[in-house]
Amino acid sequence: MTTELTFEPKIVAFVCNWCTYAGADLTGTSRIAYASNVRIMRFPCTGRIDYNLVLKALEQGADGILISGCHPNDCHYSTGNFHARRRWVVFRHMMEYMGFDLRRVKFAWVSAAEGAKWAEVVNTTVREIRELGPATEYTELHRKGVA
Amino acid sequence: MSALQVQAGELLASGKAEVVIGYGEGTRGRVRPVFVRTRADVSLLVFDGRCTANLTVYLAKPEVGRMGKAAIVATPGAVRSLIQLIAEHQVDPGEVVVLAADDDAVTLLTDPAALEAYAAAHPVTIPPEAKAVTESLARMSAQERRAFWDAELSRCFKCYACRSACALCYCTRCITDMNQPQWVCVAPHALGVMEWHLNRAMHMAGRCVQCGSCTSACPAGIPIGLLAMEASRSVEKEFGAQAGLRCDAPPALSSFAADDRESFIL
C-alpha cells in the first residue's frame, strides 16, 4: 500500500449569519458539492469580524482566510458591512506594508440567495491557496521565538 | 525672561490657567516635563529644539486633571493631537489653553478655530531619516519588507514606551493587556511583537497625527511611528480624512461612505 501525501489547504471562513451563512446553507440544500477544506465560522455581522480573528487563525495554522458577508445595502444591521469594508481596506494595507502575502486573505460578498457563488468562491480560494502552498510567514514567527 | 515665561506667568496670574504643562531643564542636557503652578516657578520653563515630546499625553491623566484648568506648551504636532483629542471628545476645548511654540514664536490659542488655523499653517514635517526609510520600503518586495520589519521588531522588548508617549493611546485598558481572551501574546517574541505593533497601527488608523513622539520614545531605536503613520496615510489616501486638522471631524473608521473602494472584494 502506498500513501501519497498531498497538500490540502486549511481555509478558515468568517461569515455573517444573515447572508453568507444562509448562502452556504443554500449551497448544501441545493446539493452543490464544493471543496471540503473550508471551516466556516458564523458571526452576527461582518462588522463583528475583528482582524485579530484573522491573525489568530493564521497563527493557529490556517493556510487561507475567507471573509464574507452581505452585499452593500443588504446588511441586517444596515451599516455593519460598510464599516467592515473600511477596516478591511486599512487592514490589507497594513498587512502589505509589513510584508505579508495578501493572496491568503480573501474577501467576498455572498448573499443568502447565492449558494452557487459560495461554492465558486470556496473552490477558487482552495485552488489558489493550493498553488501557493502551505502558509509559512506567520508560523515562521512562531518558530523564531524570543529574539 | 523669555516670551514663553511671560505668557505663562500672565495666564497663572489672571487665573486663566491653574497649571502650565511645559518643558523644563532635566538631567544630562535633556529636557523633562514640568508642571508649573505658581508664577514664581515660570522661570523653570524652557523651549528649544530638544523639546519634541508630545505633552498633550498628560491631559488625559486624572492626576493632571485634578490640578485644574491647564495651559499646555505645544509643538505643532502636539497641537494636532490636541485637535484630535477634542474631535474624539477626550478633551473639552474650554478646559485647556495652548501656548503653541515653534522655533520662532509663542502663540496663545484659546479656541478650536484658532487651533485649526494653527494646525493648517504648520503642516506635518517628516524627519529626513523617516523619509529615507519610507522611500526604501516603497522599493522593496513583500519578502524584503517582511525581513525589514522582522529585523527592526526583533529589537522590541515590549516596554510600551510607544504607547505611553502617545497622546492618542488613552484607553485605560489596552487590548494588549487583556487576557480573557488573550488577543496579543504577551511575550516579546517575534509573533507577540508583530501582533502588538500591528494592533497599535490598526488602532491609530485615521487618528495618528504624525507627531513622532513614539519613534523618539523608543529606547531600541525602532522607527515604530512608521506603522501608525502608514495606517493613517492609508486612511487619508482612501477616505480623504487627515487626523488632527478639524475639531469636529468624524472618526474615520467608525464612519463610511457608500462608494468606499471594494475592488478587492470578490
Side-chain angles (χ1 to χ4, degrees):
Chain A
M1 200 179 93
T2 54
T3 353
E4 202 182 327
L5 288 176
T6 51
F7 166 61
E8 277 302 328
K10 284 200 257 319
I11 312 288
V12 180
F14 298 100
V15 304
C16 95
N17 177 39
W18 304 98
C19 291
T20 305
Y21 195 82
D25 209 14
L26 181 66
T27 319
T29 50
S30 313
R31 299 279 187 270
I32 300 172
Y34 64 100
S36 58
N37 307 52
V38 69
R39 278 80 164 156
I40 299 178
M41 309 281 217
R42 181 166 65 144
F43 284 81
C45 177
T46 39
R48 163 67 181 89
I49 301 169
D50 195 308
Y51 56 86
N52 275 305
L53 295 164
V54 176
L55 299 184
K56 289 289 128 176
L58 289 169
E59 182 188 321
Q60 312 248 320
D63 299 301
I65 307 286
L66 183 53
I67 300 169
S68 180
C70 309
H71 286 267
N73 297 317
D74 274 358
C75 180
H76 183 76
Y77 308 101
S78 304
T79 58
N81 52 359
F82 286 120
H83 285 108
R85 184 170 65 181
R86 271 210 166 183
R87 208 178 311 139
W88 293 340
V89 168
V90 181
F91 179 67
R92 274 171 52 88
H93 186 86
M94 288 317 293
M95 289 291 273
E96 195 175 22
Y97 189 66
M98 292 183 88
F100 287 97
D101 193 344
L102 280 182
R103 290 173 297 178
R104 293 193 185 274
V105 188
K106 305 246 174 230
F107 300 89
W109 301 134
V110 175
S111 82
E114 293 176 322
K117 181 177 176 183
W118 175 247
E120 191 198 315
V121 165
V122 171
N123 286 336
T124 314
T125 307
V126 170
R127 195 174 57 241
E128 287 178 22
I129 304 290
R130 187 175 281 133
E131 277 165 22
L132 288 176
T136 53
E137 288 167 334
Y138 220 90
T139 43
E140 187 77 351
L141 287 172
H142 244 321
R143 197 186 56 75
K144 272 194 188 128
V146 180
Chain B
M1 272 224 280
S2 70
L4 175 67
Q5 290 169 345
V6 172
Q7 293 214 39
E10 280 168 10
L11 287 172
L12 287 169
S14 64
K16 281 186 187 139
E18 287 158 279
V19 57
V20 178
I21 307 171
Y23 303 91
E25 208 57 59
T27 51
R28 298 190 195 179
R30 291 181 300 193
V31 287
R32 65 181 179 88
V34 289
F35 298 79
V36 177
R37 302 174 81 176
T38 58
R39 202 172 178 178
D41 285 342
V42 292
S43 58
L44 292 175
L45 292 171
V46 296
F47 190 85
D48 54 41
R50 295 171 298 164
C51 305
T52 54
N54 186 342
L55 297 180
T56 53
V57 71
Y58 293 107
L59 292 176
K61 311 260 183 231
E63 58 271 36
V64 175
R66 282 194 289 274
M67 289 178 179
K69 192 172 168 175
I72 189 156
V73 179
T75 57
V79 171
R80 287 195 301 276
S81 64
L82 181 61
I83 291 174
Q84 188 63 24
L85 285 166
I86 292 170
E88 294 178 15
H89 308 287
Q90 297 301 315
V91 170
D92 180 349
E95 283 302 302
V96 59
V97 178
V98 176
L99 290 163
D102 58 14
D103 300 333
D104 318 314
V106 180
T107 324
L108 183 67
L109 309 170
T110 49
D111 61 288
L115 287 170
E116 288 174 357
Y118 189 86
H122 294 76
V124 177
T125 49
I126 307 290
E129 55 270 28
K131 211 175 252 175
V133 177
T134 309
E135 278 165 15
S136 77
L137 273 169
R139 285 192 299 269
M140 287 182 194
S141 68
Q143 285 89 344
E144 287 167 335
R145 277 199 302 276
R146 191 78 285 281
F148 170 84
W149 284 113
D150 252 7
E152 288 291 333
L153 297 182
S154 71
R155 298 203 301 281
C156 175
F157 48 92
K158 282 198 171 176
C159 65
Y160 299 125
C162 43
R163 180 177 69 176
S164 305
C166 181
L168 290 150
C169 268
Y170 51 71
C171 295
T172 47
R173 194 150 176 244
C174 174
I175 187 167
T176 196
D177 298 328
M178 292 195 186
N179 52 12
Q180 278 189 330
Q182 186 171 71
W183 287 109
V184 182
C185 308
V186 284
H189 59 42
L191 182 70
V193 167
M194 196 286 293
E195 284 186 337
W196 154 240
H197 288 295
L198 182 56
N199 260 292
R200 198 177 110 80
M202 285 299 291
H203 286 191
M204 295 310 291
R207 305 176 58 236
C208 174
V209 297
Q210 309 183 26
C211 71
S213 221
C214 49
T215 304
S216 47
C218 180
I222 304 168
I224 205 63
L226 288 179
L227 292 172
M229 263 160 62
E230 192 62 29
S232 254
R233 276 207 212 116
S234 156
V235 167
E236 196 182 325
K237 187 172 135 255
E238 300 277 354
F239 316 123
Q242 195 187 333
L245 292 185
R246 276 177 47 214
C247 292
D248 59 351
L253 283 197
S254 304
S255 53
F256 63 87
D259 60 349
D260 283 340
R261 182 165 74 85
E262 60 168 33
S263 53
F264 62 95
I265 302 177
L266 295 170

